[in-house]
Amino acid sequence: MSELATHKGQCHCGAVSWEIQAPRTLHLDECNCSMCNMHGFQHLIVPKSRFTLLSGKDNITTYTFNSHIAQHYFCKTCGIESYYVPRSNPDGYSINFRCLDRTNVDSFEIVPFDGVNWEQNAGKLAELSKE
């Protein structure tokens, strides 16, 4: 694995902020499921150990649906979902790349992910939340 850098991110209003440890060259998944398609989430999945919530713990509300395994976290003030626990990777977090400060990003690749056919494809994401 590439050397890890510290990347910071936040919701739109800044009430919820966090940092992650990830490479400077990033692999992103763009999912076409009903949830991701509606709000343009570009996924950067990291292990939970590489995520630190810096502010806003009390300003987060959670939304679940279907299996209720995924935990979608939204800022109570601005409504932005900057990260969540995905059903495909309950041992990690999916970071919304659109909420990431790109200062420490050298490059990124966006790969389409077929979330409409989630059951057949979710296994392809499993290794992304491993150390």
Side-chain angles (χ1 to χ4, degrees):
M1 164 161 285
S2 312
E3 184 177 328
L4 300 178
T6 299
H7 301 274
K8 294 183 181 279
Q10 64 182 35
C11 63
H12 186 261
C13 71
V16 176
S17 66
W18 38 262
E19 67 181 22
I20 61 167
Q21 298 296 311
R24 289 179 172 273
T25 299
L26 302 174
H27 168 96
L28 310 173
D29 290 291
E30 189 162 70
C31 180
N32 64 351
C33 78
S34 62
M35 184 76 169
C36 297
N37 194 46
M38 284 185 170
H39 70 283
F41 206 103
Q42 292 176 325
H43 300 266
L44 170 59
I45 299 175
V46 298
K48 282 190 177 179
S49 64
R50 295 188 188 151
F51 174 92
T52 303
L53 183 62
L54 300 174
S55 66
K57 181 179 179 184
D58 295 334
N59 205 47
I60 295 172
T61 190
T62 304
Y63 172 69
T64 66
F65 65 100
N66 196 7
S67 68
H68 303 284
I69 295 171
Q71 302 291 306
H72 295 270
Y73 302 127
F74 294 86
C75 173
K76 290 179 184 178
T77 304
C78 67
I80 295 297
E81 179 183 18
S82 60
Y83 73 98
Y84 78 106
V85 175
R87 180 168 72 145
S88 62
N89 300 75
D91 57 343
Y93 287 105
S94 184
I95 304 305
N96 187 345
F97 181 66
R98 296 178 190 273
C99 297
L100 190 75
D101 177 342
R102 298 184 189 183
T103 302
N104 291 328
V105 175
D106 290 342
S107 64
F108 60 91
E109 173 188 24
I110 300 173
V111 178
F113 177 77
D114 183 8
V116 169
N117 298 296
W118 195 90
E119 298 297 337
Q120 295 92 335
N121 295 303
K124 297 173 186 172
L125 303 173
E127 81 282 350
L128 298 176
S129 56
K130 305 297 180 225
E131 292 290 337

